[in-house]
Amino acid sequence: MADKPQFTTEVLNLAKVAKALSHPVRIYILQKLSKMNSCCYSGNLVDELPVGRSTLSQHLKELKFAGLIQGEINPPYIKYCINRKNWEKAKKLLDDFLNDNQSADFSCYETKTV
Amino acid sequence: MADKPQFTTEVLNLAKVAKALSHPVRIYILQKLSKMNSCCYSGNLVDELPVGRSTLSQHLKELKFAGLIQGEINPPYIKYCINRKNWEKAKKLLDDFLNDNQSADFSCYETKTV
DNA sequence: AAATCATTTCGTAATTTTGCGAAATATAAA
DNA sequence: TTTATATTTCGCAAAATTACGAAATGATTT
């Protein structure tokens, strides 16, 4: 009964970023905010998305919690912008994961299988 | 009461790929399989991951369902390999999403806000 | 034919996610 | 001060995710 290993923080962080991206609403928001230099009001987004206001609010909250966006209060609106710094970090993390095909110097079933 | 728009298939596919990556076990498996040229047996993976066999099996199933891996039966083992074709597709999709900062030719609150 | 082995499927439980409408909040306008 | 506006939080329900152990599957070996 071998000890169960832990996940590396890299793997955990990758999964966390992927999770933040794992819903169409959140993809849409990030795509939009990262493409534009300006920001977005929740009230505008809601007309472009097939969900209600409160649901959108939750998705925004999740993205905020994941650090990928930030909201500036601009009463009575809240202006959402991409969090450039964290977005770049997340991108780098994913990018490395996707393109780190530095060939097989370790294998799997060579090591312990019949 | 404006009509609610649909998601584009691009957005839906991105979310689907991200969802497939949204768990540490699945990140680990994909990282491993994409890095190596060879393949992996479920029995080997289970020793490297903090989950039981049946749980691992479910994650493998999800990745298979998402088209990112494939299993070759090699009795009594099942050899899992990356599905190169779909993995490349998924990578391209994500990569474009991440690096498609082709500047803001559309905006948001210029269009309909006070 | 019985035993063994790797893996999956089943049944179940706990937790998380997603979604909505109603109510709350906070500010600005009348 | 009342009214209107943008947004969030609350309460709830339905569905999906994650996890486990036990049982089932399918092939091989004894």
Side-chain angles (χ1 to χ4, degrees):
Chain A
M1 50 177 77
D3 278 344
K4 279 299 186 182
Q6 299 286 110
F7 290 113
T8 62
T9 46
E10 195 212 351
V11 166
L12 289 174
N13 286 336
L14 272 167
K16 209 171 286 181
V17 170
K19 193 165 195 173
L21 305 182
S22 71
H23 192 285
V25 166
R26 298 194 293 270
I27 287 281
Y28 182 92
I29 294 169
L30 284 174
Q31 193 167 55
K32 179 151 198 165
L33 291 186
S34 68
K35 269 184 187 165
M36 35 190 259
N37 296 319
S38 50
C39 302
C40 247
Y41 293 115
S42 172
N44 298 353
L45 286 170
V46 82
D47 294 329
E48 306 169 20
L49 289 168
V51 289
R53 281 171 202 287
S54 57
T55 303
L56 171 59
S57 200
Q58 284 193 168
H59 286 296
L60 288 167
K61 194 166 141 193
E62 269 186 77
L63 289 173
K64 226 185 322 179
F65 185 74
L68 300 177
I69 66 170
Q70 59 202 33
E72 276 176 52
I73 293 173
N74 188 2
Y77 303 94
I78 296 182
K79 195 166 72 171
Y80 284 102
C81 311
I82 202 91
N83 183 324
R84 285 283 164 209
K85 197 175 142 204
N86 287 337
W87 178 236
E88 291 305 322
K89 265 200 229 166
K91 271 167 61 172
K92 175 119 182 49
L93 195 65
L94 263 178
D95 235 84
D96 287 352
F97 170 65
L98 294 175
N99 300 114
D100 199 10
N101 290 5
Q102 71 245 4
S103 91
D105 59 311
F106 75 101
S107 74
C108 178
Y109 59 96
E110 269 89 325
T111 59
K112 19 182 347 198
T113 311
V114 283
Chain B
M1 50 177 77
D3 278 344
K4 277 299 185 182
Q6 299 286 108
F7 290 113
T8 62
T9 45
E10 195 213 353
V11 166
L12 289 174
N13 285 337
L14 273 167
K16 209 171 285 183
V17 170
K19 192 164 198 175
L21 306 182
S22 71
H23 191 285
V25 166
R26 299 194 293 269
I27 287 281
Y28 182 92
I29 294 170
L30 285 174
Q31 194 168 53
K32 178 150 200 163
L33 291 186
S34 67
K35 270 185 186 165
M36 32 191 260
N37 295 319
S38 49
C39 302
C40 246
Y41 293 117
S42 170
N44 297 354
L45 286 171
V46 81
D47 294 330
E48 307 169 20
L49 289 168
V51 290
R53 282 170 203 287
S54 56
T55 303
L56 172 58
S57 200
Q58 282 192 168
H59 286 296
L60 287 167
K61 194 165 141 193
E62 268 186 76
L63 288 174
K64 225 184 326 179
F65 185 74
L68 299 178
I69 67 171
Q70 59 203 34
E72 276 175 50
I73 292 175
N74 189 3
Y77 302 95
I78 295 180
K79 197 166 71 171
Y80 284 101
C81 312
I82 202 90
N83 183 323
R84 284 284 163 209
K85 196 175 144 204
N86 286 338
W87 178 237
E88 291 305 321
K89 264 200 228 167
K91 272 167 58 171
K92 174 121 182 49
L93 196 64
L94 262 179
D95 233 84
D96 287 351
F97 170 65
L98 295 174
N99 301 116
D100 198 11
N101 291 4
Q102 70 244 0
S103 90
D105 59 308
F106 74 100
S107 72
C108 176
Y109 58 96
E110 270 91 324
T111 59
K112 20 185 345 202
T113 310
V114 282

